[in-house]
Every structure is written in C-alpha cells, then in structure tokens.
Amino acid sequence: MSKFALRVQCNSRRGIVAAISTFLADQGCNITDSAQFEYGETGSFFMRVSFKSQGGLGLDALKGAFASIEK
C-alpha cells in the first residue's frame, strides 16, 4: 500500500474539499489525515491531505487523474 501527502494552494471557493476527497475515494484511496484553512486577507485556500492508495495506484497515475479536477 503506497502512502502519499497532497498539498494544495489555490483561490478559495466552494467545493474544494469535497472535490479532493471524492477524487481520492474514487481512486481507491483512504484519507488518513487532513487539514485545511483559508487565509481571509487574500482569499487563498491551503490544504494538506495524507492518504494511502489501497488500489495500488502510483504517483504518476494519481497525478494524471488529478489534473481533471484542478480547474
């Protein structure tokens, strides 16, 4: 089982956490830790998610699939 940590920094908007957690679940991953916050002065959103790939996906496969939710 592979372990990963995803760090996200982007403009804050509704649905970011849901999109990331749904993506990881759909890829057969289990979130083991998550922290997120918004810096109100700039509207920036930050998130760190630790997870395990229970489906055996590697980093390249996850990166390629994640590109679809980056926008």
Side-chain angles (χ1 to χ4, degrees), residues 22-58:
T22 298
F23 165 79
L24 291 172
D26 289 348
Q27 301 302 313
C29 298
N30 183 43
I31 295 173
T32 57
D33 186 59
S34 177
Q36 64 273 337
F37 68 95
E38 178 183 308
Y39 186 62
E41 291 183 21
T42 64
S44 295
F45 174 83
F46 301 89
M47 183 176 192
R48 182 183 185 280
V49 182
S50 298
F51 62 94
K52 295 178 182 177
S53 175
Q54 296 177 318
L57 290 179

Side-chain angles (χ1 to χ4, degrees), residues 58-71:
L59 183 59
D60 290 335
L62 287 167
K63 279 183 177 180
F66 191 73
S68 67
I69 68 165
E70 288 187 77
K71 305 261 184 231

